[in-house]
């Protein structure tokens, strides 16, 4: 259910904060999944700086990260997405995915001055002196000046007044994470309500009429089956609290004539019977009313 989106400039401490959150929820006996861009990039066969220099490569990995997050989202486990997440449209897509699961989400913004971030980046190991295992962990690989500047320029900072970034927790390098606040936002807040963009579309008119026809046919079939068993009194129908009371002299042709009248009525008054769950009850009331008139 809960999703934590990590966001920040290059070398702002995103992976460090992700690990802190991962350990915190483990200690609180929560099942935690850490989805890391640093691991996804080398797995896709890309070098860190080459990856950020090519928008098509970025799209591939972003798509893989999103797919992995969607696969892991459920009603109880914590998912942490450790990546730059610098595009607000991408964060909005994650927000919609969380709403679709009726879960909660928060954003951790690793705030830092660009100058300080560059200093921390320069403190990383030189690629030529790194072992193969260290290279596979992209958090140890420094950005080039060109890539670093480009990422800072295109970064779209999260804002707490945007619903897809809210609740927003801002943390600077010298700060401690607000673990209690994050835990409360994920597990003690009301789940995000689903909206039209995250719900399955309603039945189309053609599908609705098909289901309506099928339900009414089943009810007529139940009545006829009861008569074959010698039951000519009130008949119970699935989905209806009212029993069907049709006089014994009514045959299948007459009942199907009434069924067609009900279908025509439903086409012209779609709002009245738009919920299929109400159809059995409404159809039974229609049959009882019209049979008693004749």
């Amino acid at each position: 259910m809960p999703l934590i989106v990590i966001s920040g400039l290059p070398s702002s401490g995103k992976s460090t904060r992700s690990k802190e959150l991962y350990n915190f929820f483990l200690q609180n006996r929560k099942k935690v999944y850490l989805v890391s861009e640093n691991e996804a990039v080398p797995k896709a066969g890309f070098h860190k700086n080459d990856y950020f220099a090519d928008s098509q490569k970025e799209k591939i990995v972003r798509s893989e990260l999103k797919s992995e997050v969607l696969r892991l989202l459920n009603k109880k486990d914590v998912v942490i997405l450790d990546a730059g997440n610098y595009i607000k449209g991408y964060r909005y897509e994650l927000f919609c995915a969380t709403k679709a699961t009726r879960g909660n989400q928060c954003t951790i913004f690793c705030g830092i001055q660009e100058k300080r971030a560059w200093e921390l980046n320069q403190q990383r190991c030189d690629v030529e002196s790194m072992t193969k295992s260290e290279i596979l962990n992209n958090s140890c690989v420094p950005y080039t000046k060109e890539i670093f500047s480009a990422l800072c320029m295109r970064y779209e900072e999260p804002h707490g007044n945007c619903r897809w970034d809210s609740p927003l927790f801002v943390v600077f390098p010298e700060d401690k994470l607000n673990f209690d606040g994050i835990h409360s936002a994920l597990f003690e807040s009301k789940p995000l309500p689903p909206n039209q963009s995250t719900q399955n579309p309603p039945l189309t008119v053609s599908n609705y009429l098909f289901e309506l026809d099928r339900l009414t046919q089943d009810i007529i079939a139940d009545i006829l089956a009861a008569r074959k068993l010698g039951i000519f009194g009130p008949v119970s129908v699935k989905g209806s609290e009212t029993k069907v009371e049709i006089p014994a002299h009514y045959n299948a042709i007459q009942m199907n004539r009434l069924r067609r009248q009900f279908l025509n009525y439903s086409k012209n008054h779609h709002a009245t019977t738009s919920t299929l769950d109400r159809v059995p009850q409404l159809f039974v009331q229609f049959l009882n009313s019209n049979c008693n008139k004749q």
Side-chain angles (χ1 to χ4, degrees):
M1 176 191 286
L3 172 64
I4 302 175
V5 178
I6 309 293
S7 182
L9 293 175
S11 303
S12 59
K14 298 184 294 295
S15 296
T16 300
R17 300 304 185 179
S18 297
K19 291 174 184 176
E20 290 177 1
L21 287 165
Y22 181 85
N23 293 329
F24 168 76
F25 284 108
L26 277 184
Q27 292 171 4
N28 282 269
R29 298 184 178 181
K30 304 289 185 184
K31 193 169 184 179
V32 194
Y33 296 98
L34 179 57
V35 181
S36 173
E37 184 179 46
N38 286 327
E39 296 178 2
V41 171
K43 282 183 180 179
F46 305 138
H47 184 273
K48 183 173 184 175
N49 287 287
D50 293 337
Y51 160 74
F52 284 111
D54 191 329
S55 61
Q56 293 303 315
K57 292 177 180 178
E58 280 194 88
K59 286 181 181 179
I60 293 172
V61 174
R62 274 202 305 268
S63 177
E64 291 177 354
L65 291 173
K66 181 182 173 182
S67 297
E68 182 68 5
V69 168
L70 294 178
R71 185 182 69 83
L72 294 173
L73 278 177
N74 57 49
K75 293 185 177 181
K76 57 181 180 179
D77 301 333
V78 179
V79 181
I80 302 171
L81 177 57
D82 174 22
N85 297 315
Y86 63 86
I87 303 174
K88 63 181 178 182
Y90 183 67
R91 297 198 298 269
Y92 177 73
E93 291 176 9
L94 296 171
F95 171 76
C96 290
T98 306
K99 291 192 73 170
T101 62
R102 288 174 168 80
N104 283 325
Q105 176 179 322
C106 71
T107 304
I108 310 298
F109 174 39
C110 298
I112 193 173
Q113 291 183 345
E114 186 175 333
K115 181 179 178 181
R116 174 59 177 155
W118 174 248
E119 291 174 356
L120 293 174
N121 177 69
Q122 289 182 305
Q123 294 175 13
R124 295 182 177 184
C125 302
D126 185 5
V127 178
E128 295 181 359
S129 62
M130 293 168 60
T131 63
K132 185 177 180 180
S133 60
E134 288 176 328
I135 293 176
L136 290 177
N137 182 0
N138 261 347
S139 59
C140 298
V141 179
Y143 296 93
T144 64
K145 182 60 177 177
E146 181 183 2
I147 295 300
F148 179 88
S149 299
L151 289 174
C152 291
M153 183 177 63
R154 63 178 111 149
Y155 183 73
E156 296 175 330
E157 184 177 315
H159 296 280
N161 57 352
C162 295
R163 64 186 186 280
W164 55 86
D165 290 328
S166 179
L168 177 66
F169 296 89
V170 181
V171 56
F172 290 90
E174 64 277 6
D175 296 339
K176 290 185 178 180
L177 277 171
N178 183 4
F179 293 112
D180 292 337
I182 295 170
H183 184 277
S184 176
L186 296 179
F187 292 99
E188 299 174 16
S189 300
K190 186 177 179 180
L192 296 170
N195 57 20
Q196 202 168 22
S197 65
T198 61
Q199 296 225 57
N200 293 326
L203 291 172
T204 62
V205 174
S206 59
N207 287 341
Y208 172 77
L209 293 177
F210 173 81
E211 292 295 329
L212 183 67
D213 183 67
R214 182 185 61 81
L215 285 171
T216 53
Q217 282 186 21
D218 290 345
I219 291 173
I220 296 297
D222 289 343
I223 299 171
L224 295 176
R227 291 197 168 184
K228 287 182 181 180
L229 297 174
I231 303 173
F232 291 92
V235 178
S236 298
V237 173
K238 182 179 179 181
S240 173
E241 297 178 358
T242 308
K243 292 185 177 182
V244 186
E245 298 184 28
I246 296 181
H249 65 273
Y250 264 75
N251 56 33
I253 295 175
Q254 291 172 303
M255 283 187 274
N256 276 303
R257 185 181 297 121
L258 289 174
R259 188 179 72 85
R260 287 192 293 272
Q261 290 177 10
F262 179 78
L263 292 177
N264 289 330
Y265 172 84
S266 299
K267 290 178 185 177
N268 297 325
H269 302 81
H270 187 266
T272 306
T273 58
S274 58
T275 304
L276 288 173
D277 294 341
R278 299 179 56 205
V279 168
Q281 177 74 24
L282 293 173
F283 184 46
V284 167
Q285 291 174 349
F286 179 85
L287 289 174
N288 290 343
S289 175
N290 283 274
C291 288
N292 291 331
K293 288 180 181 179
Q294 300 178 14

